[in-house]
Amino acid sequence: MSAKWSVKTQLPVHYTVFESFDLFNPENNALLFDGQNSSLQSLRRVVVVDDYVERLHGERIRQYFQYHEIEYRLISLSVSEDNKSMDTVFQVIEELNAFEVARRSEPVIAIGGGVLMDIVGLAANLFRRGIPYIRVPTTLLGVVDAAIGAKTAVNFQGHKNRIGTFYPPLAAILDTTLLQTLSDRQISNGIAEILKIALVKDTELFELLENYGAAMLSSKCQNPEAMPIIRRSVQGMLEDLESNLWEEKLERLVDYGHTFCPTLELKAVPKLLHGEAVAVDMAISVMLAYQRSLVTYQEVERVYNFMRSVRLPLLHPICTPELLYAALQSTTKHRNGLQRFPLTVGIGSAQFFHDITYDEIKTAVKAIAQLEPDAAMQTSL
């Protein structure tokens, strides 16, 4: 008789998301966070930034760690969707190895946008089979989405985020004062992810966006109403993630706007930012919901009018029914063979569907194209 063993264990997961403002002020100790709520175990840090952060804040970051007498290595990367790859991950790992980062007591700090944080998170997960890292988002999209979840990923062979892991940070530190230097386009990009949460689970958040979203854009999120909106969005996102952090359940409300989006983001010319691709996806999804009598046309108009007010696209010339249906098929494989397509029911709730058809997509795109003819100039309907 052969022997057989069964191993069952659980991995406790705890990470912290907290606000701290004016992070690079030497009097602010937030960047010294080590997860121990005590004095630093090690006065050494690797800090990875993207080249945009280096230009704007590099000198202040250096002065910060010098002030605190921290031995540090500052690594600046030029990152984009085009080089969001394992080659860039290995570049970070080489730096971690050269600095001889300790396995537990020297968290790596990633300061930048979502691409940078994804790359550093994956590198931290692979190095020594996992070392702690801290995310400091410098974009609105990072604050409300990319920094606060558990996923890391890079692109592979023309596929968005095809290689990745679940590896939560030790902490995500949210500093909205860093958003003041962003372009309007980057603010709009982040508002798209707030809109996602509003449409699928929070009517009041949508109403706040209707009232103050344009002010968020014009003030770079420095208006008084911006923080309550951001906090409500973060809370909504974390509520959905906490109960399903490892995506054991593949029907996820936070996947709204992320069905066509991966294909659009990689293939669109001119390029779409992630939030812009999510916006186009949501615009199509809202029209699909209308075609199924899940929302009224007045609700469609409210969503579209808001998107226009914060300069989010409703369509892109690449949006042919053929490409969108192929994108749906690709996402269906990622969702283990079922579409699991979230559609809004009214504004503030959603249901999942598995039977979206090519003809429905064609009709939806045609309807939006009639509303946004300039965005549909190259579509073949």
Side-chain angles (χ1 to χ4, degrees):
M1 181 178 178
S2 60
K4 179 180 180 181
W5 291 266
S6 178
V7 178
K8 184 177 182 180
T9 187
Q10 289 184 323
L11 176 67
V13 176
H14 176 267
Y15 64 97
T16 305
V17 179
F18 66 94
E19 295 173 351
S20 187
F21 306 105
D22 195 15
L23 270 179
F24 308 139
N25 183 333
E27 301 302 318
N28 186 335
N29 290 329
L31 283 179
L32 307 183
F33 182 81
D34 65 358
Q36 305 300 313
N37 296 317
S38 63
S39 60
L40 286 173
Q41 294 182 6
S42 173
L43 298 177
R44 302 175 79 244
R45 290 292 184 270
V46 169
V47 185
V48 188
V49 303
D50 59 40
D51 53 1
Y52 181 76
V53 171
E54 163 66 26
R55 290 195 302 272
L56 288 177
H57 307 292
E59 189 56 35
R60 290 188 69 203
I61 293 170
R62 291 181 179 88
Q63 291 174 356
Y64 179 94
F65 287 103
Q66 290 165 5
Y67 176 87
H68 289 283
E69 299 182 342
I70 307 290
E71 180 187 355
Y72 72 94
R73 175 170 295 188
L74 183 67
I75 304 161
S76 178
L77 299 178
S78 178
V79 294
S80 67
E81 287 295 333
D82 293 333
N83 68 348
K84 189 183 182 184
S85 66
M86 288 304 301
D87 287 342
T88 313
V89 171
F90 289 134
Q91 184 179 344
V92 175
I93 289 174
E94 287 174 3
E95 296 282 359
L96 299 178
N97 196 52
F99 196 71
E100 298 184 341
V101 173
R103 191 171 182 183
R104 292 287 182 267
S105 59
E106 298 173 358
V108 179
I109 303 174
I111 307 176
V115 173
L116 186 280
M117 290 186 292
D118 265 0
I119 289 168
V120 175
L122 185 53
N125 193 183
L126 296 176
F127 187 69
R128 299 192 189 279
R129 298 189 182 91
I131 61 173
Y133 73 109
I134 292 170
R135 291 171 173 162
V136 179
T138 57
T139 63
L140 179 57
L141 189 144
V143 167
V144 300
D145 186 82
I148 63 176
K151 292 195 286 191
T152 77
V154 294
N155 303 333
F156 181 69
Q157 293 188 349
H159 297 281
K160 172 82 172 173
N161 292 339
R162 184 55 58 92
I163 297 175
T165 62
F166 293 97
Y167 193 61
L170 177 66
I173 309 175
L174 311 183
D175 180 1
T176 52
T177 65
L178 295 174
L179 308 182
Q180 297 177 72
T181 58
L182 295 178
S183 66
D184 287 355
R185 187 181 181 189
Q186 284 288 352
I187 298 293
S188 295
N189 190 48
I191 289 174
E193 288 285 1
I194 301 177
L195 177 61
K196 172 190 75 176
I197 296 295
L199 290 178
V200 296
K201 64 181 299 182
D202 194 338
T203 305
E204 185 174 338
L205 178 58
F206 181 76
E207 292 169 352
L208 288 169
L209 284 173
E210 280 188 306
N211 290 328
Y212 304 113
M216 288 179 68
L217 179 60
S218 62
S219 72
K220 308 297 176 71
C221 296
Q222 305 307 303
N223 59 310
E225 300 83 7
M227 280 311 304
I229 289 173
I230 290 170
R231 288 170 179 163
R232 195 175 184 103
S233 178
V234 169
Q235 178 70 27
M237 183 75 170
L238 289 175
E239 286 172 354
D240 216 65
L241 293 177
E242 186 175 31
S243 62
N244 189 32
L245 197 63
W246 312 120
E247 296 185 14
E248 294 179 359
K249 182 180 178 183
L250 294 178
E251 291 184 352
R252 305 169 66 241
L253 287 177
V254 292
D255 277 341
Y256 186 71
H258 290 69
T259 300
F260 309 120
C261 164
T263 298
L264 295 176
E265 193 173 351
L266 285 178
K267 295 190 175 182
V269 179
K271 286 282 189 182
L272 289 170
L273 299 177
H274 176 71
E276 293 170 336
V278 170
V280 172
D281 190 313
M282 290 191 294
I284 297 168
S285 298
V286 167
M287 188 60 73
L288 289 170
Y290 171 68
Q291 291 169 188
R292 292 191 171 210
S293 301
L294 301 173
V295 297
T296 65
Y297 195 73
Q298 288 71 28
E299 289 170 326
V300 174
E301 288 183 316
R302 286 180 69 189
V303 174
Y304 287 0
N305 285 337
F306 170 73
M307 291 174 68
R308 294 184 185 103
S309 76
V310 292
R311 305 178 199 171
L312 286 171
L314 275 65
L315 203 59
H316 186 279
I318 200 176
C319 290
T320 64
E322 293 78 15
L323 179 134
L324 294 172
Y325 192 68
L328 172 58
Q329 290 175 312
S330 176
T331 299
T332 298
K333 292 178 182 177
H334 185 64
R335 295 173 183 168
N336 203 40
L338 289 176
Q339 288 183 1
R340 308 180 202 270
F341 198 125
L343 291 178
T344 49
V345 180
I347 292 176
S349 64
Q351 293 179 7
F352 294 92
F353 296 85
H354 312 297
D355 58 348
I356 304 296
T357 68
Y358 171 89
D359 287 340
E360 283 181 285
I361 293 171
K362 182 176 181 179
T363 301
V365 173
K366 184 175 182 179
I368 301 170
Q370 290 172 345
L371 298 172
E372 305 287 312
D374 290 342
M377 285 173 56
Q378 299 173 30
T379 60
S380 56
L381 301 172

